[in-house]
Amino acid sequence: MPAVAAAFAVSPTAPNPNIPYLGLTTTTTRRQVDSPPNPTSWPSSPSPFVYLSLRGRSLLAVVCFRLPSRRRLPTEMENNGVISGKTPDLVLSSSYEAAMRALSSLISGRKRGELPKRDNKLDLIFNYLKIIGVEKSLAELKIIHIGGTKGKGSTCTFCEAILRECGFRTGLFTSPHLMDVKERFRINGLDISEDKFLYYFWDCWNLLKESVDEDLPMPPLFQFLTVLAFKIFVSEKVDVAIIEVGLGGRTDSTNVVKEPIVCGITSLGMDHMEILGDTIGKIASAKAGIFKPHVPAFTVPQLPEAMLALEERASELMIPLTFAPPLDPSVMNGLTLGLAGDHQLINAGLAVALCTSWLQRTGHAELAPNDNPKEGLPEGFLRGLSTARLGGRAQTIIDKPKMLEQIPDGNSGDLIFYLDGAHSPESMEVCARWFSSAVGEAQQSVKNGFVKELGYSSLYENKHSSESKKASKKILLFNCMEKRDPQLLLPPLVDICASNGVYFSKALFVPSMSVHHRVDSGSSIVAPTTPANLSWQSTLQRTWDKLIQEKDFVNDNGSKMQKLGKTHEVVTGEPLENCVPVLKDLSRSAVVPSLPLAIRWLRDYAKDNPSLCLQVLVTGSLHLVGDVLKLLRR
């Protein structure tokens, strides 16, 4: 089945010379191509690679086909961006949206909490790896395998940044993505490019489609993405691949890895109990399923029952299980961690231990820290820890839509979003502590955060240097999956914030835009075709109102906070003027029918109140955080 690399340019005559071409592998040599190939450098006829130009209406495509000589070439480009010929099984895509539709077709009908019908999942994945030709190459990836409940993505991100700053070519596979599936695959610290993603995606897709039968169906979504990650990292010849476990450990798709260099388990908590077990010990046992013979393992401070389960599994395999202490801030030589929050010291400490073990076991001990802690960390470790970046986890964004010149006199209130994808009771506690600390450091967040990346920092600093004098209102923007218990998520958020003197003036409950049955690109925001069912958001609101009623809170100015009674609202009118009273009464909660509408309200309210600083905590779901990021970056 063909593998395709396609670059398209709107041009009536010739390919765009600035479009990068991917390195291609022939049957004999690997040749990197940095510019469009000229005729003298094209492969001779016996080569399996053929270059040709196809004109589809006003779109000219330069396409490389790896094609058996007897296959019919595609002759027609359809409206959906898919090139097809008369051969039914020959489908080549130039459209990223077409790839997203193909991925969406892999989403299984079963709910996440339901166990799969097959008990040979890892055997199937190994067969998929054989089909795409990488099963014998996994050991070459020198993998760091990381599982846990909280901090998996952060620890993986720290590890990737450290080893990249030490001079290694890195691959990073994480989940879920926030805005675009390409985020799951990083090469040397950057999301994979769209061209490379399409090349590897269709190669894997076509090879698997060609081989499936009743006993070997197409893999579900996460299994396919896992197989794709290994294909990408093997093909890109990374020196190290950092692999984040998807869910659990023992039966997770990533556990097809048999010979990692080192394994790590982050903080454990009560999550996915319908799959992993209803006690912390059962959950820990499932997570410890990634431990392998002869492979050292590391973990962080755990509850006694969880630590006992990890130690039992390590003992069975006769492998060392080492406790990695939280990072001592003094070893950072005045630098700060690239990921915000005191909890990141735990993740950073584990990352240092994992990278140190990896360097020692791969023959690079000279780059690892010395045993003497007084000597601090090597420069590569310091650079990696201080420059690591991961969206949607303790992330601060100052919203300045369409720039200030569109507002009369450039006068507007401030709207700051604090985003954290916390969705378990333990992670909600961490989120609450971070938010409580961060709202008091908004000016520092402006100087170090996302606004500077957008080029707004000087504009903001000049106009809003007196931000601390503004009145502030904290607003909660919340949603969570229906399988979550809001009575376990919301109380720690409210209690910890209140213990730090932080109180929410209003709570908005909104449905997410993302849907479980579709994978969308980062550039697409799909509006729902039917009105959202808000019954779950109403349940969240009732839980919140009852919780607040039971508290004896005060407002920011020290006065008694008004009791809510039955003053909560369900907003159903789309016109903005119908919604102003709901926002002006900052003592009430509200159910909002759509996330774009909620963002619009907040922006207009900030614009109309120049003396106010709105500090909005977005939490409860990574899907919600990703949707907010999409809207803010449009």
Side-chain angles (χ1 to χ4, degrees):
M1 184 58 64
V4 183
F8 292 89
V10 178
S11 168
T13 56
N16 186 337
N18 296 320
I19 294 178
Y21 281 58
L22 300 177
L24 303 173
T25 305
T26 67
T27 54
T28 56
T29 60
R30 179 178 179 87
R31 181 172 61 88
Q32 295 295 330
V33 184
D34 295 319
S35 59
N38 57 59
T40 60
S41 65
W42 287 4
S44 58
S45 55
S47 169
F49 289 91
V50 178
Y51 291 86
L52 67 158
S53 294
L54 296 175
R55 190 183 306 277
R57 295 182 174 88
S58 62
L59 191 65
L60 183 69
V62 179
V63 186
C64 171
F65 303 92
R66 186 178 65 203
L67 195 64
S69 58
R70 288 176 292 182
R71 284 274 173 87
R72 180 185 296 272
L73 292 176
T75 57
E76 181 180 334
M77 179 179 288
E78 299 174 351
N79 292 333
N80 63 0
V82 176
I83 305 174
S84 59
K86 295 183 179 180
T87 305
D89 62 346
L90 182 58
V91 180
L92 309 174
S93 175
S94 64
S95 166
Y96 191 69
E97 296 299 333
M100 296 304 99
R101 289 193 295 273
L103 275 179
S104 297
S105 71
L106 300 179
I107 299 176
S108 62
R110 66 182 178 87
K111 295 181 179 180
R112 196 177 187 191
E114 295 176 0
L115 294 175
K117 295 180 181 179
R118 297 175 179 267
D119 56 3
N120 60 338
K121 182 173 80 171
L122 295 182
D123 291 336
L124 289 177
I125 296 175
F126 194 73
N127 285 332
Y128 298 140
L129 294 173
K130 283 184 178 179
I131 291 171
I132 66 172
V134 301
E135 83 284 0
K136 295 181 180 179
S137 303
L138 291 189
E140 300 173 6
L141 294 178
K142 298 182 174 60
I143 289 170
I144 298 177
H145 201 190
I146 300 175
T149 304
K150 301 172 294 180
K152 290 182 299 181
S154 298
T155 303
C156 287
T157 300
F158 279 131
C159 286
E160 186 280 327
I162 289 171
L163 294 177
R164 173 165 41 86
E165 291 294 343
C166 286
F168 297 96
R169 180 170 174 79
T170 59
L172 174 63
F173 177 57
T174 59
S175 60
H177 61 272
L178 293 176
M179 294 184 289
D180 195 289
V181 72
K182 298 192 303 294
E183 299 168 20
R184 299 182 185 229
F185 315 94
R186 285 194 198 178
I187 305 294
N188 263 1
L190 299 176
D191 296 348
I192 190 170
S193 69
E194 185 170 307
D195 288 339
K196 285 190 175 183
F197 176 85
L198 288 173
Y199 176 74
Y200 293 123
F201 173 85
W202 289 116
D203 192 21
C204 289
W205 179 271
N206 291 329
L207 287 170
L208 292 174
K209 271 290 188 181
E210 191 177 55
S211 304
V212 297
D213 55 31
E214 185 174 333
D215 296 324
L216 188 69
M218 281 294 284
L221 178 63
F222 186 73
Q223 293 181 29
F224 180 89
L225 294 176
T226 301
V227 170
L228 178 59
F230 290 129
K231 173 67 174 180
I232 291 171
F233 296 155
V234 168
S235 301
E236 290 292 316
K237 299 188 180 301
V238 300
D239 299 314
V240 55
I242 299 96
I243 306 295
E244 178 188 355
V245 172
L247 192 158
R250 183 183 301 110
T251 61
D252 185 71
S253 299
T254 65
N255 207 30
V256 72
V257 175
K258 298 302 181 186
E259 299 177 1
I261 300 299
V262 63
C263 294
I265 300 292
T266 64
S267 299
L268 297 176
M270 302 297 290
D271 200 13
H272 302 299
M273 293 178 288
E274 71 282 2
I275 301 174
L276 305 179
D278 57 2
T279 69
I280 192 68
K282 292 178 181 178
I283 291 173
S285 294
K287 304 283 186 179
I290 68 171
F291 290 172
K292 302 296 188 301
H294 315 297
V295 176
F298 292 81
T299 192
V300 299
Q302 306 285 4
L303 293 173
E305 186 181 352
M307 184 62 79
L308 179 61
L310 297 179
E311 290 173 343
E312 287 179 350
R313 180 55 181 163
S315 178
E316 291 173 4
L317 297 173
M318 294 185 289
I319 61 172
L321 175 63
T322 305
F323 169 79
L327 186 72
D328 184 346
S330 66
V331 304
M332 290 294 293
N333 291 352
L335 298 173
T336 58
L337 294 176
L339 304 182
D342 292 342
H343 62 285
Q344 293 295 354
L345 293 172
I346 296 175
N347 300 324
L350 179 58
V352 167
L354 292 170
C355 290
T356 299
S357 178
W358 187 91
L359 290 169
Q360 293 170 342
R361 288 172 54 81
T362 56
H364 302 284
E366 72 280 0
L367 299 175
N370 294 325
D371 293 334
N372 185 359
K374 294 182 179 180
E375 296 187 16
L377 295 174
E379 285 298 316
F381 279 66
L382 293 175
R383 288 194 302 270
L385 291 169
S386 61
T387 60
R389 294 290 182 267
L390 182 63
R393 284 81 164 177
Q395 181 179 8
T396 303
I397 295 180
I398 292 83
D399 184 53
K400 288 292 168 186
K402 300 182 181 179
M403 302 300 291
L404 290 178
E405 60 266 19
Q406 298 194 17
I407 301 173
D409 302 321
N411 197 17
S412 170
D414 297 318
L415 178 56
I416 306 177
F417 289 90
Y418 300 84
L419 303 106
D420 191 89
H423 52 271
S424 69
E426 295 87 356
S427 59
M428 198 62 70
E429 293 176 7
V430 171
C431 170
R433 285 192 289 270
W434 163 71
F435 178 68
S436 299
S437 174
V439 292
E441 302 172 357
Q443 185 62 30
Q444 183 177 351
S445 298
V446 169
K447 293 180 180 179
N448 298 332
F450 184 69
V451 167
K452 182 165 288 189
E453 296 174 18
L454 291 178
Y456 296 167
S457 58
S458 59
L459 175 69
Y460 188 93
E461 289 164 9
N462 291 338
K463 184 177 183 300
H464 296 285
S465 59
S466 60
E467 177 190 279
S468 59
K469 299 179 182 178
K470 292 191 173 187
S472 66
K473 295 291 182 183
K474 285 76 176 174
I475 297 179
L476 175 65
L477 187 60
F478 187 90
N479 191 35
C480 66
M481 297 175 64
E482 292 190 33
K483 70 172 187 174
R484 308 286 181 189
D485 186 350
Q487 297 183 65
L488 297 178
L489 297 181
L490 292 174
L493 175 64
V494 171
D495 291 342
I496 292 176
C497 286
S499 67
N500 288 278
V502 174
Y503 305 95
F504 292 99
S505 300
K506 189 174 187 67
L508 303 178
F509 299 96
V510 296
S512 299
M513 298 185 302
S514 302
V515 292
H516 73 277
H517 61 270
R518 186 179 64 235
V519 180
D520 297 319
S521 68
S523 60
S524 65
I525 295 181
V526 181
T529 55
T530 58
N533 182 344
L534 302 176
S535 58
W536 176 243
Q537 283 67 43
S538 296
T539 298
L540 297 176
Q541 182 188 35
R542 287 192 298 271
T543 303
W544 174 266
D545 288 350
K546 181 180 178 182
L547 176 65
I548 299 302
Q549 281 282 23
E550 295 171 353
K551 306 295 180 180
D552 191 20
F553 290 153
V554 295
N555 287 310
D556 295 338
N557 60 8
S559 63
K560 209 72 153 180
M561 186 173 287
Q562 175 186 340
K563 292 291 186 180
L564 292 177
K566 296 183 178 181
T567 61
H568 61 255
E569 296 273 351
V570 177
V571 181
T572 56
E574 286 292 327
L576 190 62
E577 58 269 17
N578 295 347
C579 310
V580 170
V582 178
L583 263 185
K584 283 189 174 180
D585 184 356
L586 286 174
S587 65
R588 300 190 295 188
S589 61
V591 170
V592 186
S594 75
L595 183 58
L597 188 59
I599 299 297
R600 184 183 170 200
W601 292 347
L602 292 168
R603 283 174 166 169
D604 278 53
Y605 194 78
K607 181 179 71 174
D608 295 339
N609 293 270
S611 63
L612 185 64
C613 175
L614 289 182
Q615 297 171 309
V616 183
L617 174 62
V618 183
T619 191
S621 164
L622 277 169
H623 298 292
L624 174 65
V625 168
D627 290 341
V628 170
L629 285 171
K630 276 188 178 183
L631 290 170
L632 295 183
R633 296 187 182 186
R634 277 182 71 84

